[in-house]
Amino acid sequence: LCDQPIVGTSIYAMDREWHLNCFKCKVCSRSLTGEYMCMDSQPYCEDDYFKLFGKSCYICSQPISGKVLQAGGNSYHTSCLKCYICTAPFEEGQEIFMQGELFWHTQCDD
């Protein structure tokens, strides 16, 4: 925070107004003009936020934003974790059978 008056174009984020060149990622100092994430009242670019705080999908290794499936102690994108019998994805809150690295719907076990 520079505490200088704002004249001209600014960004309103995190409940305050910022100079364009003052609203930066806490880690890499890249200017944040689009999407950003916030943790403990500090702004982060999406890449640094997910490196520090995010969960990665056990299957594709990409960061997970939005809904996450937890199974077997790992985290998954809802689109990545699929039943090995019918290949359909799992719905939120749906019971999952698992053995080792294999996951299946309870109804597919019949």
Side-chain angles (χ1 to χ4, degrees), residues 35-55:
E35 296 290 321
Y36 71 93
M37 308 298 279
C38 181
M39 175 66 78
D40 297 327
S41 300
Q42 297 295 319
Y44 295 88
C45 67
E46 287 184 288
D47 290 341
D48 286 328
Y49 178 88
F50 285 117
K51 284 178 197 170
L52 293 169
F53 310 111
K55 293 191 178 291

Side-chain angles (χ1 to χ4, degrees), residues 69-72 81-86 88-99 102-110:
L69 288 174
Q70 299 277 336
L81 186 64
K82 296 182 177 164
C83 175
Y84 93 97
I85 296 172
C86 74
F90 295 94
E91 300 294 324
E92 186 176 352
Q94 188 175 32
E95 189 174 0
I96 300 172
F97 284 159
M98 70 174 272
Q99 185 172 8
L102 301 177
F103 300 90
W104 63 97
H105 296 105
T106 55
Q107 67 269 21
C108 292
D109 196 45
D110 298 334

Side-chain angles (χ1 to χ4, degrees), residues 14-77:
M14 298 172 42
D15 297 324
R16 66 175 302 235
E17 195 172 14
W18 303 75
H19 291 110
L20 291 177
N21 59 349
C22 290
F23 191 57
K24 298 179 180 182
C25 173
K26 177 179 170 59
V27 175
C28 69
S29 299
R30 184 172 61 193
S31 291
L32 301 172
T33 57
E35 296 290 321
Y36 71 93
M37 308 298 279
C38 181
M39 175 66 78
D40 297 327
S41 300
Q42 297 295 319
Y44 295 88
C45 67
E46 287 184 288
D47 290 341
D48 286 328
Y49 178 88
F50 285 117
K51 284 178 197 170
L52 293 169
F53 310 111
K55 293 191 178 291
S56 295
C57 177
Y58 187 73
I59 293 173
C60 73
S61 301
Q62 295 300 306
I64 300 172
S65 61
K67 292 184 179 179
V68 58
L69 288 174
Q70 299 277 336
N74 295 309
S75 301
Y76 303 88
H77 288 112

